[in-house]
Amino acid sequence: QVQLVESGGGSVQAGGSLRLSCAASGYTYSSNCMGWFRQAPGKEREGVATIYTRGGATYYADSVKGRFTISQDNRKNTLYLEMNSLKPEDTAMYYCAAASGAAYCSGLICIRCVWGQGTQVTVSS
């Protein structure tokens, strides 16, 4: 059973930085992919960034390209999201997701993935 626990969220001013972490247990990095997603109040959840564990290919939403970086540490079974130059519109609950077994990613979409509980990011102007 894969379990994901996010951390690192918080409140920052616009232009600031945060680093989110997602600790995975029961997940093997021989599986498909992992990613970060977010949901703002009143909006649908959207893909922020995904990384394919075979080959390391990454995908980013246009709104975060050049500001956010997704990475993984296989030894620590941890996924990261480095967020720089944060904007108020980045305010959302951020979720980590992992695809293993029959689950998979397609670009910024995670199909039949396991989800973490989320960590809140609030950016003030």
Side-chain angles (χ1 to χ4, degrees):
Q1 181 76 21
V2 176
Q3 290 187 323
L4 306 172
V5 179
E6 302 98 330
S7 61
S11 297
V12 296
Q13 290 189 327
S17 298
L18 284 173
R19 187 193 197 198
L20 305 184
S21 299
C22 173
S25 60
Y27 178 82
T28 65
Y29 279 90
S30 62
S31 298
N32 191 358
C33 69
M34 295 187 75
W36 289 98
F37 298 77
R38 67 187 182 186
Q39 187 168 20
K43 295 187 177 181
E44 293 187 354
R45 185 169 59 194
E46 63 174 352
V48 175
T50 55
I51 184 166
Y52 287 67
T53 51
R54 296 187 184 117
T58 57
Y59 294 84
Y60 292 94
D62 289 342
S63 59
V64 306
K65 282 180 181 176
R67 300 188 298 122
F68 291 10
T69 303
I70 188 171
S71 63
Q72 59 188 31
D73 185 330
N74 292 350
R75 292 172 300 174
K76 296 181 179 179
N77 277 4
T78 302
L79 181 73
Y80 301 101
L81 184 68
E82 187 76 35
M83 305 187 295
N84 298 313
S85 301
L86 282 161
K87 304 175 181 180
E89 50 264 43
D90 294 318
T91 295
M93 184 72 79
Y94 283 71
Y95 298 90
C96 171
S100 62
Y104 63 96
C105 291
S106 177
L108 291 172
I109 299 173
C110 207
I111 309 299
R112 294 192 292 272
C113 287
V114 174
W115 297 87
Q117 84 289 348
T119 185
Q120 178 68 38
V121 172
T122 303
V123 184
S124 58
S125 58

